[in-house]
């Protein structure tokens, strides 16, 4: 009787246990989440690196006063274009004109005295030939003539110096350019060496920017390998976010690396026909390098452990395995793979924070082009600095 009483209860418990077991199995299947996965592809990629640049005029010089005096005329205005040889400033020239006149008179007098000494020397020569006077008299006359000729040279030098000082009272533009600020006005007392303004030739400009030693080596190796004329073409980003209309070309670089920063300065030249760029302005140089058959992976598919980079590789049975890879560089939201990953492999493209090695997932395939990676095409990426 007791056995019969317990039989239904045992059956009920078995049913409950069986049902619980089935529910646990169903929950396990439900726990397998759908995770985005993408297949690695190789592509041709334009890599952009950006550098802060200082912009200098092709020529920029200070205009200094070469003589002292008061400023008599200012013939230009600030910010105006001038031509080579144009008179910019005039310093009062009265004392210099007087000094020049005196120097010219002294020069003429020295010439006249030398002619008189030459006549005297010829007269003594005649007397010596007739044995009227001793030959020593001729030596004296010749010495006096030489002294007079030396005075001619001295007077000529003083006249040239006076003429030069006189010419310095009119200050001319050394080349075509644009005038900067003019701090002194008419009537100001000017000393020798006073800076009156500066002139910039901005028909073209130089952009100086610093690159690291690694980037320098990449550039030189690419230039030597390609050997094409358009290598070294760069773009200039302006402070308003736009790009300058003219493209520039890297012309040269410094001969030494800076010990403090480990970088070396490059110089690019830009034509500036509209005079938009000014001396002392700033911008951003964008250097483009095209690499072929490289693998790009999204930044959100990567996680770091002890300064090493990892992704999850999808296995044929939909399990995932941790894989270490070595990035060559980081561009925008992508890593450029140097080693450790191959085209055709599938990786988890996002949501890696909540996964673990060996877990099973339900892959949701995401095409590479929807991630901005163009298979067999040309992607454009900008390096993060």
């Amino acid at each position: 009787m007791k056995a019969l009483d317990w039989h239904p209860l045992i059956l009920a418990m078995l049913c409950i246990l069986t049902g619980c077991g089935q529910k646990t199995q169903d929950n396990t299947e439900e726990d397998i989440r759908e995770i985005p996965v993408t297949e690695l592809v190789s592509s041709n990629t334009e890599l952009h690196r950006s550098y802060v640049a200082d912009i200098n005029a092709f020529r920029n010089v200070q205009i200094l006063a070469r003589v002292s005096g008061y400023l008599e005329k200012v013939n230009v205005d600030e910010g105006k274009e001038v031509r080579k040889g144009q008179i910019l400033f005039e310093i009062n020239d009265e004392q210099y004109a007087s000094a020049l006149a005196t120097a010219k008179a002294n020069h003429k007098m020295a010439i006249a005295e030398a002619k008189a000494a030459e006549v005297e020397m010829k007269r003594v020569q005649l007397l010596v030939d007739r044995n009227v006077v001793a030959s020593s008299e001729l030596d004296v006359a010749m010495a006096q003539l030489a002294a007079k000729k030396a005075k001619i040279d001295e007077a000529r030098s003083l006249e040239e110096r006076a003429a030069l000082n006189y010419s310095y009272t009119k200050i001319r533009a050394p080349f075509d350019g644009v005038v900067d600020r003019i701090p002194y006005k008419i009537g100001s007392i000017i000393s020798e060496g006073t800076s009156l303004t500066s002139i910039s030739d901005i028909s073209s400009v130089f952009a100086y920017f610093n690159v690291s030693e690694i980037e320098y080596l990449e550039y030189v190796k690419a230039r030597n390998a390609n050997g094409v004329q358009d290598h070294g073409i760069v773009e200039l980003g302006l402070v308003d976010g736009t790009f300058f209309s003219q493209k520039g070309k890297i012309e040269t670089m410094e001969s030494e690396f800076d010990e403090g920063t480990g970088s070396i300065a490059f110089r690019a030249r830009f034509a500036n026909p509209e005079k938009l760029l000014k001396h002392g302005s700033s911008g951003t140089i964008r250097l483009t390098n095209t690499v072929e058959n490289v693998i790009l992976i999204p930044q959100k598919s990567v996680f770091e452990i002890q300064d090493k980079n990892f992704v999850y590789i999808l296995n044929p049975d939909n399990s995932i395995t941790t894989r270490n890879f070595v990035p060559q560089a980081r561009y925008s939201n992508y890593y450029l793979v140097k080693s450790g990953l191959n085209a055709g492999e599938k990786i988890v493209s996002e949501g890696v924070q909540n996964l673990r090695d060996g877990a099973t997932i339900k892959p949701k395939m995401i095409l590479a082009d929807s991630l901005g990676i163009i298979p067999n095409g040309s992607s454009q990426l900008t390096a993060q600095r």
Side-chain angles (χ1 to χ4, degrees):
M1 183 66 180
K2 290 182 178 180
L4 293 174
D5 291 338
W6 283 99
H7 184 67
L9 182 59
I10 293 173
L11 289 176
M13 292 179 65
L14 289 174
C15 289
I16 293 172
L17 290 173
T18 303
C20 291
Q22 183 64 41
K23 185 175 181 181
T24 302
Q25 183 178 355
D26 292 342
N27 287 340
T28 301
E29 292 177 356
E30 291 175 0
D31 285 343
I32 299 177
R33 293 178 296 160
E34 188 176 58
I35 301 295
V37 172
T38 187
E39 181 177 343
L40 298 180
V41 296
S42 61
S43 63
N44 299 332
T45 306
E46 288 187 355
L47 304 179
H48 301 303
R49 282 197 174 98
S50 297
Y51 307 90
V52 176
D54 296 323
I55 298 172
N56 291 346
F58 172 60
R59 289 180 291 187
N60 176 266
V61 297
Q62 283 190 318
I63 304 300
L64 305 179
R66 304 290 294 273
V67 293
S68 60
Y70 71 85
L71 194 58
E72 192 170 63
K73 291 183 180 180
V74 178
N75 299 322
V76 293
D77 197 3
E78 298 171 337
K80 299 299 183 180
E81 293 190 15
V82 295
R83 295 295 181 183
K84 180 179 180 180
Q86 181 177 338
I87 297 176
L88 309 177
F89 306 96
E90 295 183 44
I91 296 174
N92 181 265
D93 63 2
E94 291 179 358
Q95 60 174 323
Y96 300 103
S98 176
L100 178 58
T102 300
K104 287 182 176 180
N106 291 336
H107 187 196
K108 292 179 179 179
M109 185 180 296
I111 293 174
E113 290 178 352
K115 287 183 177 179
E118 184 177 6
V119 171
E120 176 63 17
M121 187 271 294
K122 290 180 179 179
R123 186 186 69 81
V124 173
Q125 176 72 57
L126 183 60
L127 294 176
V128 170
D129 292 342
R130 296 178 178 178
N131 294 321
V132 175
V133 297
S135 59
S136 59
E137 294 293 332
L138 179 59
D139 295 337
V140 172
M142 294 178 65
Q144 290 176 345
L145 176 59
K148 297 300 182 180
K149 287 184 176 180
K151 285 188 175 182
I152 292 177
D153 293 337
E154 180 184 7
R156 181 186 298 112
S157 177
L158 292 174
E159 181 184 349
E160 291 173 354
R161 178 60 182 172
L164 197 59
N165 286 337
Y166 179 73
S167 70
Y168 287 157
T169 62
K170 292 179 174 57
I171 301 167
R172 302 175 184 271
F175 47 76
D176 295 352
V178 179
V179 176
D180 196 14
R181 181 176 299 180
I182 301 174
Y184 295 96
K185 308 305 178 184
I186 294 175
S188 300
I189 301 299
I190 304 299
S191 301
E192 182 179 352
T194 298
S195 178
L196 300 175
T197 189
S198 63
I199 292 182
S200 298
D201 178 359
I202 53 175
S203 58
S204 62
V205 297
F206 292 132
Y208 292 89
F209 58 100
N210 295 323
V211 304
S212 68
E213 187 170 356
I214 292 176
E215 293 164 348
Y216 158 78
L217 291 174
E218 289 179 356
Y219 170 79
V220 172
K221 289 179 180 179
R223 180 186 63 184
N224 294 339
N226 296 335
V228 293
Q229 293 183 351
D230 62 349
H231 190 75
I233 299 299
V234 295
E235 296 176 285
L236 178 63
L238 306 178
V239 293
D240 63 354
T242 63
F243 280 92
F244 186 52
S245 59
Q246 304 286 328
K247 291 186 177 181
K249 183 175 179 60
I250 296 176
E251 288 187 332
T252 186
M253 64 192 75
E254 290 185 349
S255 61
E256 297 180 2
F257 283 90
D258 185 279
E259 294 182 358
T261 62
S263 62
I264 190 170
F266 279 46
R267 188 188 78 194
R269 184 168 178 170
F270 291 83
N272 189 29
E274 298 179 358
K275 308 294 192 299
L276 176 64
L277 301 177
K278 301 294 185 181
H279 178 78
S281 56
S282 60
T284 303
I285 288 291
R286 187 168 79 168
L287 179 61
T288 301
N289 183 31
T290 301
V291 292
E292 298 180 351
N293 299 322
V294 295
I295 295 175
L296 299 173
I297 59 175
Q299 177 184 335
K300 57 187 177 182
S301 66
V302 179
F303 58 97
E304 294 185 5
I305 301 177
Q306 296 181 348
D307 297 330
K308 292 185 178 181
N309 297 280
F310 295 86
V311 295
Y312 284 119
I313 296 291
L314 179 67
N315 299 316
D317 61 355
N318 290 341
S319 65
I320 56 175
T321 304
T322 303
R323 173 81 65 82
N324 171 237
F325 76 97
V326 179
Q328 179 174 328
R330 181 175 172 181
Y331 292 86
S332 301
N333 296 319
Y334 302 88
Y335 282 97
L336 180 65
V337 176
K338 183 177 182 180
S339 62
L341 296 172
N342 300 304
E345 293 183 310
K346 297 181 177 66
I347 64 169
V348 174
S349 60
E350 60 179 282
V352 297
Q353 297 83 0
N354 300 321
L355 298 177
R356 57 181 176 80
D357 189 49
T360 299
I361 65 170
K362 182 180 179 181
K364 176 183 179 182
M365 293 303 301
I366 304 296
L367 297 178
D369 54 4
S370 66
L371 299 175
I373 303 172
I374 306 174
N376 302 319
S378 181
S379 305
Q380 295 190 13
L381 303 176
T382 301
Q384 293 188 1
R385 303 184 62 79

